[in-house]
Structure formats: structure tokens, C-alpha cells
Amino acid sequence: MDALEQIQLSTKLRLLQQEHADLDAAISALERSGSGDQLQVRRLKKKKLALKDEIIQVENKLIPDIIA
């Protein structure tokens, strides 16, 4: 992996992490207010899980497991 690819993956990782944190805050706010319907909360949680999976994939590309 060259330096440009590493920078691009790092940038993508930061964006995904920020989006994940934003979704977490939105879910918490909806649950606290009680005004959000449960379907909307479930959809946001599902999207948050998908983002977490994508974050893990990007992290694995940046820091591959090396078996010694």
C-alpha cells in the first residue's frame, strides 16, 4: 500500500467514525425525547452497525494482521 492509499483510507476512516458518532448521538437524542418512533430508531441502529462493519474493514486494511 502506498502513501496516497494510506492517506485516503485514514481520511475515510475518520469520516466513518464521525458519522458513526453522529448516529449514536441522534439515536440517544431520539430515545431520550421519546418522540422518535421505534422504526426510525431501529433503522438508525442498523445503519450504525453497518458503519461499524465498514470501519472495521478499513481498519483491517490499514493495520493488517501479521502472523509471526
Side-chain angles (χ1 to χ4, degrees):
M1 176 183 318
D2 64 7
L4 179 60
E5 287 175 326
Q6 198 165 17
I7 291 169
Q8 289 172 334
L9 282 175
S10 294
T11 302
K12 182 177 182 177
L13 180 61
R14 282 193 302 275
L15 291 172
L16 290 171
Q17 289 170 331
Q18 182 60 50
E19 188 176 351
H20 186 270
D22 292 345
L23 274 174
D24 191 40
I27 291 167
S28 294
L30 282 172
E31 289 177 336
R32 277 193 312 268
S33 71
S35 64
D37 65 46
Q38 292 304 310
L39 181 59
Q40 183 181 17
V41 171
R42 281 200 320 256
R43 286 180 179 156
L44 290 175
K45 285 183 177 183
K46 189 173 182 177
K47 184 173 181 174
K48 184 179 160 194
L49 284 173
L51 279 172
K52 186 64 175 176
D53 289 342
E54 194 172 350
I55 288 169
I56 290 169
Q57 288 176 356
V58 172
E59 286 175 338
N60 287 339
K61 288 179 185 176
L62 282 171
I63 309 167
D65 289 337
I66 299 173
I67 300 172

